[in-house]
Amino acid sequence: MNFLLIFILSTCLVYFYRNLALRYGILDKPNHRTSHDAITPRGGGVVFIGLWLVWVVLSLIQKKISSELCYSLIGPVGLVALVSF
C-alpha cells in the first residue's frame, strides 16, 4: 500500500514542482554540455529524494526497518542530495 501512496504522491508532486519551476524560472538552458535540445525545468529530483525520505521514516514508524538502518540510510542520501542540489 505504501508503494501506491508514494506513486500517487510522486506523480502529483512532480506535476506541482514542474509548474513551480516554470513559473519561477528554475530552468536548464541547453548548451554544448547538456543532452537536451529545449529549455527544461531542473531540480525535480528533490521530489524523489523527499519522498524517499518520507518512505524511510514511515517504514521506521511502522517498525519495518530498525532505527539504525533508518539513520544509516538518511545520512548518506541526504548528503548526496544536498551536494547534488
Side-chain angles (χ1 to χ4, degrees):
M1 187 66 175
N2 284 346
F3 294 114
L4 180 61
L5 177 65
I6 295 294
F7 173 75
I8 292 169
L9 276 173
S10 66
T11 302
C12 294
L13 289 174
V14 165
Y15 176 77
F16 176 74
Y17 180 81
R18 181 182 176 276
N19 289 336
L20 227 98
L22 291 172
R23 181 179 303 145
Y24 291 107
I26 306 171
L27 304 171
D28 195 12
K29 297 176 178 79
N31 61 32
H32 68 282
R33 294 179 50 195
T34 59
S35 62
H36 51 273
D37 298 326
I39 294 176
T40 307
R42 66 177 174 175
V46 169
V47 171
F48 297 109
I49 293 296
L51 285 173
W52 185 85
L53 291 172
V54 167
W55 177 78
V56 169
V57 171
L58 283 176
S59 295
L60 176 66
I61 291 170
Q62 295 174 350
K63 307 268 191 243
K64 292 183 178 181
I65 62 172
S66 67
S67 59
E68 293 84 15
L69 180 59
C70 177
Y71 299 134
S72 67
L73 290 172
I74 287 178
V77 170
L79 182 64
V80 168
L82 186 66
V83 169
S84 298
F85 189 68

Coordinates of all heavy atoms in Angstrom, one line a residue:
M1 N 0.8 -1.2 0.0 CA 0.0 0.0 0.0 C 0.9 1.3 0.0 O 0.5 2.2 -0.6 CB -0.9 -0.1 1.2 CG -1.9 1.0 1.2 SD -3.1 0.8 -0.1 CE -4.2 2.1 0.2
N2 N 2.0 1.2 0.7 CA 2.9 2.4 0.7 C 3.4 2.7 -0.7 O 3.5 3.9 -1.0 CB 4.1 2.1 1.6 CG 3.7 2.2 3.1 OD1 2.7 2.7 3.5 ND2 4.6 1.7 3.9
F3 N 3.6 1.7 -1.5 CA 4.2 2.0 -2.8 C 3.1 2.7 -3.7 O 3.5 3.6 -4.4 CB 4.6 0.7 -3.5 CG 5.8 0.0 -2.9 CD1 5.7 -1.2 -2.2 CD2 7.0 0.7 -2.8 CE1 6.7 -1.8 -1.6 CE2 8.1 0.1 -2.2 CZ 8.0 -1.1 -1.6
L4 N 1.9 2.4 -3.6 CA 0.8 3.0 -4.3 C 0.7 4.5 -3.8 O 0.6 5.4 -4.7 CB -0.5 2.3 -4.1 CG -1.7 2.9 -4.8 CD1 -1.5 2.9 -6.4 CD2 -3.0 2.2 -4.5
L5 N 0.8 4.7 -2.5 CA 0.7 6.1 -2.0 C 1.9 6.9 -2.5 O 1.8 8.0 -2.9 CB 0.7 6.0 -0.5 CG 0.8 7.4 0.2 CD1 -0.5 8.2 0.0 CD2 0.9 7.2 1.7
I6 N 3.1 6.3 -2.5 CA 4.3 7.0 -2.9 C 4.2 7.3 -4.4 O 4.6 8.4 -4.9 CB 5.6 6.2 -2.6 CG1 5.8 6.1 -1.1 CG2 6.8 6.8 -3.3 CD1 6.1 7.4 -0.4
F7 N 3.7 6.4 -5.2 CA 3.5 6.6 -6.6 C 2.5 7.8 -6.9 O 2.8 8.7 -7.7 CB 3.0 5.4 -7.3 CG 2.6 5.6 -8.8 CD1 3.6 5.7 -9.7 CD2 1.3 5.7 -9.2 CE1 3.3 5.9 -11.1 CE2 0.9 5.9 -10.5 CZ 2.0 6.0 -11.5
I8 N 1.4 7.8 -6.2 CA 0.5 8.9 -6.4 C 1.0 10.2 -6.0 O 0.9 11.2 -6.6 CB -0.9 8.6 -5.7 CG1 -1.6 7.4 -6.3 CG2 -1.8 9.8 -5.6 CD1 -2.7 6.8 -5.5
L9 N 1.7 10.2 -4.8 CA 2.3 11.5 -4.3 C 3.4 11.9 -5.3 O 3.5 13.1 -5.5 CB 3.0 11.2 -2.9 CG 2.0 11.3 -1.8 CD1 2.7 10.9 -0.5 CD2 1.5 12.8 -1.6
S10 N 4.2 11.0 -5.8 CA 5.3 11.5 -6.7 C 4.7 12.1 -8.0 O 5.2 13.1 -8.5 CB 6.3 10.3 -7.0 OG 5.6 9.3 -7.7
T11 N 3.7 11.5 -8.5 CA 3.1 12.0 -9.7 C 2.5 13.4 -9.5 O 2.8 14.3 -10.3 CB 1.9 11.1 -10.2 OG1 2.5 9.8 -10.4 CG2 1.3 11.6 -11.5
C12 N 1.8 13.6 -8.4 CA 1.2 14.9 -8.1 C 2.3 15.9 -7.8 O 2.3 17.1 -8.3 CB 0.3 14.8 -6.9 SG -1.2 13.8 -7.2
L13 N 3.3 15.5 -7.0 CA 4.4 16.5 -6.6 C 5.3 16.9 -7.8 O 5.7 18.0 -7.9 CB 5.2 16.0 -5.4 CG 4.4 15.9 -4.1 CD1 5.3 15.2 -3.1 CD2 4.0 17.3 -3.7
V14 N 5.5 15.9 -8.7 CA 6.3 16.3 -9.9 C 5.6 17.3 -10.7 O 6.2 18.2 -11.2 CB 6.8 15.0 -10.7 CG1 7.3 15.4 -12.0 CG2 7.8 14.3 -9.9
Y15 N 4.3 17.1 -10.9 CA 3.5 18.0 -11.7 C 3.5 19.4 -11.0 O 3.7 20.4 -11.7 CB 2.0 17.5 -11.8 CG 1.1 18.4 -12.5 CD1 1.1 18.5 -13.8 CD2 0.2 19.2 -11.7 CE1 0.2 19.4 -14.5 CE2 -0.6 20.1 -12.4 CZ -0.6 20.2 -13.7 OH -1.5 21.0 -14.4
F16 N 3.3 19.4 -9.7 CA 3.3 20.7 -9.0 C 4.7 21.4 -9.1 O 4.8 22.6 -9.3 CB 3.0 20.4 -7.5 CG 3.1 21.6 -6.6 CD1 2.1 22.6 -6.7 CD2 4.1 21.8 -5.7 CE1 2.2 23.8 -5.9 CE2 4.2 22.9 -4.9 CZ 3.2 23.9 -5.0
Y17 N 5.8 20.6 -8.9 CA 7.1 21.1 -9.0 C 7.4 21.7 -10.4 O 8.1 22.7 -10.5 CB 8.2 20.1 -8.5 CG 9.6 20.7 -8.6 CD1 10.0 21.5 -7.6 CD2 10.4 20.6 -9.7 CE1 11.3 22.1 -7.7 CE2 11.6 21.2 -9.8 CZ 12.0 21.9 -8.8 OH 13.3 22.5 -8.9
R18 N 7.0 21.0 -11.4 CA 7.3 21.4 -12.8 C 6.6 22.7 -13.0 O 7.2 23.6 -13.6 CB 6.7 20.4 -13.7 CG 6.9 20.7 -15.2 CD 6.3 19.7 -16.1 NE 6.5 20.1 -17.5 CZ 5.7 20.9 -18.1 NH1 4.6 21.5 -17.5 NH2 5.9 21.3 -19.4
N19 N 5.4 22.9 -12.6 CA 4.7 24.2 -12.7 C 5.4 25.3 -11.9 O 5.6 26.4 -12.4 CB 3.2 24.1 -12.3 CG 2.4 23.3 -13.2 OD1 2.8 23.2 -14.4 ND2 1.3 22.7 -12.8
L20 N 5.9 25.0 -10.7 CA 6.6 26.0 -9.9 C 7.9 26.3 -10.6 O 8.3 27.5 -10.7 CB 6.9 25.3 -8.6 CG 6.6 26.2 -7.4 CD1 5.3 25.8 -6.8 CD2 7.7 26.0 -6.4
A21 N 8.7 25.3 -11.1 CA 9.9 25.6 -11.8 C 9.7 26.5 -13.0 O 10.5 27.4 -13.3 CB 10.6 24.3 -12.2
L22 N 8.7 26.2 -13.8 CA 8.4 27.0 -15.0 C 8.0 28.5 -14.6 O 8.5 29.4 -15.2 CB 7.3 26.4 -15.8 CG 7.7 25.1 -16.5 CD1 6.4 24.5 -17.2 CD2 8.8 25.4 -17.6
R23 N 7.3 28.6 -13.5 CA 6.8 29.9 -13.1 C 8.0 30.8 -12.5 O 8.1 32.0 -12.8 CB 5.8 29.8 -12.0 CG 5.3 31.2 -11.5 CD 4.2 31.0 -10.4 NE 3.1 30.2 -10.9 CZ 2.4 29.4 -10.1 NH1 2.7 29.3 -8.8 NH2 1.4 28.8 -10.6
Y24 N 8.9 30.1 -11.8 CA 10.0 30.9 -11.1 C 11.3 30.8 -11.9 O 12.3 31.3 -11.4 CB 10.2 30.4 -9.7 CG 9.0 30.8 -8.8 CD1 8.1 29.9 -8.4 CD2 8.8 32.2 -8.5 CE1 7.0 30.3 -7.6 CE2 7.8 32.5 -7.7 CZ 6.9 31.6 -7.3 OH 5.8 32.0 -6.5
G25 N 11.3 30.2 -13.1 CA 12.5 30.2 -13.9 C 13.6 29.3 -13.5 O 14.8 29.6 -13.7
I26 N 13.2 28.2 -12.8 CA 14.2 27.2 -12.5 C 14.4 26.3 -13.7 O 13.9 25.2 -13.7 CB 13.8 26.4 -11.2 CG1 13.4 27.4 -10.1 CG2 14.9 25.5 -10.8 CD1 12.8 26.7 -8.9
L27 N 15.2 26.8 -14.6 CA 15.3 26.1 -15.9 C 16.7 25.8 -16.3 O 17.6 26.6 -15.9 CB 14.7 27.0 -17.0 CG 13.2 27.4 -16.8 CD1 12.8 28.5 -17.8 CD2 12.3 26.2 -16.8
D28 N 16.9 24.8 -17.1 CA 18.2 24.5 -17.6 C 18.2 24.7 -19.1 O 17.4 24.1 -19.8 CB 18.5 23.0 -17.3 CG 19.9 22.6 -17.5 OD1 20.8 23.6 -17.6 OD2 20.2 21.4 -17.5
K29 N 19.0 25.7 -19.5 CA 19.1 26.0 -20.9 C 20.1 25.1 -21.6 O 21.2 24.9 -21.1 CB 19.4 27.5 -21.0 CG 18.3 28.4 -20.4 CD 18.7 29.9 -20.5 CE 17.6 30.7 -19.9 NZ 17.6 30.8 -18.5
P30 N 19.7 24.7 -22.8 CA 20.7 23.8 -23.5 C 22.0 24.5 -23.9 O 21.9 25.6 -24.3 CB 19.9 23.3 -24.7 CG 18.7 24.1 -24.8 CD 18.5 24.9 -23.5
N31 N 23.0 23.7 -23.8 CA 24.3 24.2 -24.3 C 25.1 23.0 -24.8 O 24.6 21.9 -24.9 CB 25.1 25.0 -23.3 CG 25.4 24.2 -22.0 OD1 25.6 23.0 -22.1 ND2 25.4 24.9 -20.9
H32 N 26.4 23.2 -25.1 CA 27.2 22.0 -25.6 C 27.4 20.9 -24.6 O 27.7 19.8 -25.0 CB 28.5 22.6 -26.1 CG 29.4 23.0 -25.0 ND1 29.3 24.3 -24.4 CD2 30.5 22.4 -24.5 CE1 30.2 24.4 -23.5 NE2 31.0 23.3 -23.5
R33 N 27.2 21.1 -23.3 CA 27.4 20.1 -22.3 C 26.1 19.3 -21.9 O 26.2 18.4 -21.2 CB 28.0 20.8 -21.1 CG 29.4 21.3 -21.3 CD 29.9 22.0 -20.0 NE 29.8 21.1 -18.9 CZ 29.9 21.5 -17.6 NH1 30.1 22.8 -17.4 NH2 29.7 20.7 -16.6
T34 N 25.0 19.8 -22.3 CA 23.7 19.2 -21.9 C 23.2 18.2 -23.0 O 23.6 18.3 -24.2 CB 22.6 20.2 -21.7 OG1 22.4 21.0 -22.8 CG2 23.0 21.1 -20.5
S35 N 22.3 17.3 -22.6 CA 21.8 16.3 -23.5 C 20.5 16.6 -24.1 O 19.9 15.8 -24.8 CB 21.8 14.9 -22.9 OG 20.9 15.0 -21.8
H36 N 19.9 17.8 -23.7 CA 18.6 18.1 -24.2 C 18.6 19.3 -25.1 O 19.6 20.0 -25.2 CB 17.6 18.4 -23.0 CG 18.1 19.4 -22.0 ND1 18.9 19.1 -21.0 CD2 18.0 20.8 -22.0 CE1 19.3 20.2 -20.3 NE2 18.7 21.2 -20.9
D37 N 17.6 19.4 -26.0 CA 17.6 20.4 -27.0 C 16.7 21.6 -26.7 O 16.7 22.6 -27.3 CB 17.1 19.8 -28.3 CG 18.0 18.7 -28.8 OD1 19.2 18.8 -28.6 OD2 17.5 17.7 -29.4
A38 N 15.8 21.4 -25.7 CA 14.9 22.5 -25.3 C 15.1 22.9 -23.9 O 15.7 22.1 -23.1 CB 13.4 22.0 -25.5
I39 N 14.6 24.1 -23.5 CA 14.7 24.5 -22.1 C 13.9 23.5 -21.3 O 12.7 23.2 -21.6 CB 14.2 26.0 -22.0 CG1 15.1 26.9 -22.8 CG2 14.0 26.4 -20.5 CD1 14.6 28.3 -22.8
T40 N 14.5 23.1 -20.2 CA 13.9 22.0 -19.3 C 13.9 22.5 -17.9 O 14.9 23.0 -17.4 CB 14.8 20.8 -19.5 OG1 14.9 20.4 -20.8 CG2 14.2 19.6 -18.7
P41 N 12.8 22.3 -17.1 CA 12.9 22.5 -15.7 C 13.9 21.6 -15.0 O 14.1 20.5 -15.4 CB 11.4 22.2 -15.2 CG 10.6 22.2 -16.4 CD 11.5 21.8 -17.6
R42 N 14.6 22.2 -14.0 CA 15.6 21.4 -13.3 C 15.3 21.3 -11.8 O 14.5 22.1 -11.3 CB 17.0 21.9 -13.6 CG 17.2 23.3 -12.9 CD 18.6 23.7 -13.2 NE 18.8 25.0 -12.7 CZ 19.9 25.7 -12.7 NH1 21.0 25.1 -13.1 NH2 20.0 26.9 -12.2
G43 N 15.9 20.3 -11.2 CA 15.7 20.2 -9.8 C 14.6 19.3 -9.4 O 14.2 19.2 -8.2
G44 N 14.0 18.5 -10.3 CA 12.9 17.7 -10.0 C 13.3 16.5 -9.1 O 12.4 15.9 -8.5
G45 N 14.5 16.2 -9.0 CA 15.0 15.1 -8.2 C 14.7 15.3 -6.7 O 14.6 14.4 -5.9
V46 N 14.5 16.6 -6.4 CA 14.2 17.0 -5.0 C 12.9 16.3 -4.5 O 12.8 15.8 -3.4 CB 14.1 18.5 -4.8 CG1 13.5 18.9 -3.5 CG2 15.4 19.2 -5.1
V47 N 12.0 16.2 -5.4 CA 10.7 15.5 -5.1 C 11.0 14.0 -4.8 O 10.4 13.5 -3.8 CB 9.7 15.6 -6.3 CG1 8.5 14.7 -6.1 CG2 9.3 17.0 -6.6
F48 N 11.8 13.4 -5.6 CA 12.0 11.9 -5.3 C 12.8 11.7 -4.1 O 12.6 10.7 -3.3 CB 12.7 11.3 -6.6 CG 11.8 11.4 -7.8 CD1 12.1 12.2 -8.8 CD2 10.6 10.6 -7.8 CE1 11.3 12.3 -9.9 CE2 9.8 10.7 -8.9 CZ 10.1 11.5 -10.0
I49 N 13.8 12.5 -3.8 CA 14.6 12.4 -2.6 C 13.7 12.6 -1.4 O 13.7 11.9 -0.4 CB 15.8 13.3 -2.6 CG1 16.8 12.9 -3.6 CG2 16.4 13.4 -1.2 CD1 17.4 11.6 -3.4
G50 N 12.8 13.7 -1.4 CA 11.9 13.9 -0.3 C 11.0 12.8 -0.1 O 10.7 12.4 1.1
L51 N 10.4 12.2 -1.1 CA 9.5 11.1 -1.0 C 10.2 9.9 -0.5 O 9.7 9.1 0.3 CB 8.8 10.8 -2.3 CG 7.7 11.8 -2.7 CD1 7.2 11.5 -4.1 CD2 6.6 11.7 -1.7
W52 N 11.5 9.7 -0.9 CA 12.2 8.5 -0.4 C 12.5 8.7 1.1 O 12.4 7.7 1.9 CB 13.6 8.5 -1.1 CG 14.4 7.3 -0.8 CD1 14.3 6.0 -1.3 CD2 15.4 7.2 0.2 NE1 15.2 5.2 -0.7 CE2 15.9 5.9 0.3 CE3 15.9 8.1 1.1 CZ2 16.9 5.5 1.1 CZ3 16.9 7.7 2.0 CH2 17.4 6.4 2.0
L53 N 12.8 9.9 1.5 CA 13.0 10.2 3.0 C 11.7 9.9 3.7 O 11.7 9.4 4.8 CB 13.5 11.6 3.2 CG 15.0 11.8 2.7 CD1 15.3 13.3 2.8 CD2 16.0 11.0 3.5
V54 N 10.6 10.3 3.2 CA 9.3 10.1 3.8 C 9.0 8.6 3.9 O 8.6 8.1 5.0 CB 8.1 10.8 3.0 CG1 6.8 10.3 3.5 CG2 8.2 12.3 3.2
W55 N 9.3 7.8 2.9 CA 9.2 6.4 2.9 C 10.0 5.7 4.0 O 9.6 4.8 4.7 CB 9.5 5.8 1.5 CG 9.4 4.3 1.5 CD1 8.3 3.6 1.4 CD2 10.5 3.4 1.6 NE1 8.6 2.2 1.4 CE2 9.9 2.1 1.5 CE3 11.9 3.5 1.7 CZ2 10.7 1.0 1.6 CZ3 12.6 2.4 1.7 CH2 12.1 1.2 1.7
V56 N 11.3 6.2 4.1 CA 12.1 5.6 5.1 C 11.6 5.9 6.5 O 11.5 5.0 7.4 CB 13.6 6.2 5.0 CG1 14.4 5.8 6.2 CG2 14.2 5.7 3.7
V57 N 11.1 7.1 6.8 CA 10.6 7.5 8.1 C 9.3 6.7 8.3 O 9.1 6.2 9.5 CB 10.4 9.0 8.2 CG1 9.6 9.3 9.4 CG2 11.7 9.7 8.2
L58 N 8.4 6.6 7.3 CA 7.2 5.8 7.5 C 7.5 4.3 7.8 O 6.9 3.7 8.6 CB 6.3 5.8 6.3 CG 5.5 7.1 6.1 CD1 4.8 7.1 4.7 CD2 4.5 7.3 7.2
S59 N 8.5 3.8 7.2 CA 8.9 2.4 7.4 C 9.5 2.3 8.8 O 9.2 1.2 9.5 CB 10.0 2.0 6.4 OG 9.5 2.0 5.1
L60 N 10.1 3.3 9.3 CA 10.6 3.3 10.7 C 9.4 3.3 11.7 O 9.4 2.5 12.6 CB 11.6 4.4 11.0 CG 12.1 4.6 12.4 CD1 12.9 3.4 12.8 CD2 12.8 5.9 12.6
I61 N 8.5 4.2 11.4 CA 7.3 4.3 12.3 C 6.5 3.0 12.3 O 6.0 2.6 13.4 CB 6.4 5.5 11.9 CG1 7.2 6.8 12.1 CG2 5.1 5.5 12.6 CD1 6.5 8.0 11.5
Q62 N 6.4 2.3 11.2 CA 5.7 1.1 11.1 C 6.5 -0.1 11.5 O 6.0 -1.3 11.4 CB 5.2 0.9 9.7 CG 4.2 1.9 9.2 CD 3.8 1.8 7.8 OE1 4.4 1.0 7.0 NE2 2.8 2.5 7.3
K63 N 7.7 0.1 12.0 CA 8.6 -0.9 12.5 C 9.0 -1.9 11.4 O 9.2 -3.1 11.7 CB 8.0 -1.6 13.7 CG 7.5 -0.8 14.8 CD 8.6 -0.6 15.8 CE 8.0 0.1 17.1 NZ 8.6 1.3 17.4
K64 N 9.1 -1.5 10.2 CA 9.5 -2.3 9.1 C 11.1 -2.3 9.0 O 11.6 -3.2 8.4 CB 8.9 -1.9 7.8 CG 7.4 -2.2 7.8 CD 6.8 -1.9 6.4 CE 5.3 -2.2 6.5 NZ 4.7 -1.9 5.2
I65 N 11.7 -1.2 9.5 CA 13.1 -1.2 9.5 C 13.6 -0.7 10.9 O 12.8 -0.1 11.6 CB 13.7 -0.2 8.4 CG1 13.2 1.2 8.6 CG2 13.4 -0.7 7.0 CD1 13.9 2.2 7.7
S66 N 14.8 -1.0 11.2 CA 15.3 -0.6 12.5 C 15.8 0.9 12.5 O 16.0 1.5 11.4 CB 16.5 -1.5 12.9 OG 17.6 -1.2 12.0
S67 N 15.9 1.5 13.6 CA 16.3 2.9 13.7 C 17.8 3.0 13.2 O 18.1 4.0 12.6 CB 16.2 3.4 15.1 OG 16.9 2.7 16.0
E68 N 18.6 2.0 13.4 CA 20.0 2.1 12.9 C 20.0 2.1 11.4 O 20.8 2.9 10.8 CB 20.8 0.9 13.4 CG 21.0 0.9 14.9 CD 19.9 0.2 15.7 OE1 19.0 -0.4 15.1 OE2 19.8 0.4 16.9
L69 N 19.2 1.3 10.8 CA 19.1 1.3 9.3 C 18.6 2.6 8.8 O 19.1 3.1 7.8 CB 18.3 0.1 8.8 CG 18.1 0.0 7.3 CD1 19.5 -0.2 6.6 CD2 17.2 -1.2 6.9
C70 N 17.6 3.1 9.5 CA 17.0 4.4 9.1 C 18.0 5.5 9.1 O 18.2 6.2 8.1 CB 15.8 4.8 10.0 SG 15.1 6.4 9.7
Y71 N 18.8 5.6 10.2 CA 19.8 6.7 10.2 C 20.9 6.4 9.2 O 21.5 7.4 8.7 CB 20.3 6.8 11.7 CG 19.2 7.1 12.6 CD1 19.1 6.5 13.8 CD2 18.3 8.1 12.3 CE1 18.1 6.8 14.7 CE2 17.3 8.5 13.2 CZ 17.2 7.8 14.4 OH 16.2 8.1 15.3
S72 N 21.3 5.2 9.0 CA 22.4 4.9 8.1 C 21.9 5.1 6.6 O 22.8 5.3 5.8 CB 22.9 3.5 8.2 OG 21.9 2.5 7.9
L73 N 20.6 5.1 6.4 CA 20.1 5.5 5.0 C 19.9 7.0 4.8 O 20.3 7.5 3.8 CB 18.8 4.7 4.8 CG 18.8 3.2 4.6 CD1 17.4 2.7 4.5 CD2 19.6 2.8 3.4
I74 N 19.4 7.6 5.8 CA 19.1 9.1 5.7 C 20.4 9.9 5.6 O 20.4 10.8 4.8 CB 18.3 9.5 6.9 CG1 16.8 9.0 6.8 CG2 18.2 11.0 7.0 CD1 15.9 9.3 7.9
G75 N 21.4 9.6 6.4 CA 22.6 10.4 6.4 C 23.3 10.5 5.0 O 23.4 11.6 4.4
P76 N 23.7 9.4 4.4 CA 24.4 9.5 3.1 C 23.5 10.0 2.0 O 24.0 10.8 1.2 CB 24.8 8.0 2.9 CG 24.8 7.3 4.2 CD 23.8 8.1 5.0
V77 N 22.2 9.6 2.0 CA 21.4 10.0 0.9 C 21.1 11.5 1.0 O 21.1 12.3 0.1 CB 20.0 9.2 0.9 CG1 19.0 9.8 0.0 CG2 20.3 7.8 0.5
G78 N 20.9 12.0 2.3 CA 20.8 13.4 2.5 C 22.0 14.2 2.1 O 21.9 15.3 1.5
L79 N 23.2 13.7 2.3 CA 24.4 14.4 1.9 C 24.5 14.4 0.4 O 24.8 15.5 -0.2 CB 25.6 13.7 2.5 CG 27.0 14.3 2.2 CD1 27.0 15.7 2.8 CD2 28.1 13.4 2.8
V80 N 24.3 13.3 -0.3 CA 24.3 13.3 -1.7 C 23.3 14.2 -2.3 O 23.6 15.0 -3.3 CB 24.1 11.8 -2.3 CG1 23.9 11.8 -3.8 CG2 25.3 11.0 -1.9
A81 N 22.1 14.3 -1.8 CA 21.0 15.1 -2.3 C 21.5 16.6 -2.1 O 21.3 17.4 -3.0 CB 19.7 14.9 -1.5
L82 N 22.0 16.9 -1.0 CA 22.5 18.3 -0.7 C 23.6 18.7 -1.7 O 23.5 19.8 -2.2 CB 23.0 18.4 0.7 CG 23.3 19.8 1.2 CD1 22.1 20.7 1.3 CD2 24.0 19.7 2.6
V83 N 24.5 17.9 -1.9 CA 25.6 18.2 -2.8 C 25.1 18.3 -4.2 O 25.5 19.2 -5.0 CB 26.7 17.1 -2.7 CG1 27.7 17.3 -3.8 CG2 27.4 17.2 -1.4
S84 N 24.2 17.4 -4.6 CA 23.7 17.4 -6.0 C 22.8 18.6 -6.3 O 22.8 19.1 -7.4 CB 22.8 16.1 -6.2 OG 23.6 15.0 -6.1
F85 N 22.1 19.1 -5.2 CA 21.2 20.2 -5.5 C 22.0 21.5 -5.6 O 21.8 22.3 -6.4 CB 20.2 20.4 -4.4 CG 19.1 21.4 -4.6 CD1 18.2 21.2 -5.7 CD2 19.1 22.6 -3.9 CE1 17.3 22.1 -5.9 CE2 18.1 23.5 -4.2 CZ 17.2 23.3 -5.2

